[in-house]
Amino acid sequence: SDRWNLEFGPRAEFASASYMNKYFGVNAAQSAASGYGLYTANAGLKGAGAETKLVYKLTDKWSVVGQAKFIHLVGDAGKAPLVRAGTPNMFSASVGLTYRFTTRFSR
C-alpha cells in the first residue's frame, strides 16, 4: 500500500577516540573509584548490527514511525571493562510521530 513503508538493513557504527574514551574509557580517577583498570579506547568501529523501521503515512504531512535497532559492541568498545562486566549487546526501540513540511525560497 502507499501508506506503508518498511526499511531494514545492516548497521555499522564508527566513533572518534574522544567519543570512545568518554563512553568506554576508564581514567585514573574512575579506576580508583570503581576498581576497574585503566582503559583507553581508540577510534574505529564501535558496533555492528541491524535496524528496521516501519512508517505508516496518516496523511500527506503526518506519519507514525516505529523503529528497532540491535547493535553488538565490537573493537575497543566491546573490550571495555564496563562492557565486559555486563553485555556487549544493545537493543533500542522507539515510536514517533512526524510532520513533513516544505518551504519555498524566492529570489
Side-chain angles (χ1 to χ4, degrees):
S1 138
D2 290 343
R3 292 191 172 278
W4 292 95
N5 185 35
L6 175 64
E7 302 172 13
F8 58 92
R11 299 280 298 176
E13 296 182 351
F14 297 86
S16 67
S18 173
Y19 176 95
M20 294 286 273
N21 278 304
K22 180 175 182 177
Y23 293 101
F24 300 104
V26 179
N27 64 31
Q30 293 166 332
S31 177
S34 69
Y36 290 118
L38 295 173
Y39 186 74
T40 301
N42 295 310
L45 181 63
K46 181 184 87 167
E51 182 174 9
T52 186
K53 181 169 35 171
L54 181 63
V55 179
Y56 179 71
K57 192 174 178 182
L58 297 169
T59 67
D60 286 343
K61 301 278 186 184
W62 291 95
S63 297
V64 176
V65 180
Q67 186 171 331
K69 179 170 68 168
F70 169 79
I71 295 291
H72 178 79
L73 296 174
V74 297
D76 283 3
K79 296 175 193 170
L82 295 172
V83 173
R84 287 195 320 251
T87 177
N89 299 320
M90 300 187 320
F91 178 79
S92 65
S94 62
V95 176
L97 184 65
T98 64
Y99 178 79
R100 180 179 168 193
F101 61 92
T102 58
T103 61
R104 293 186 183 194
F105 295 98
S106 60
R107 293 180 181 213

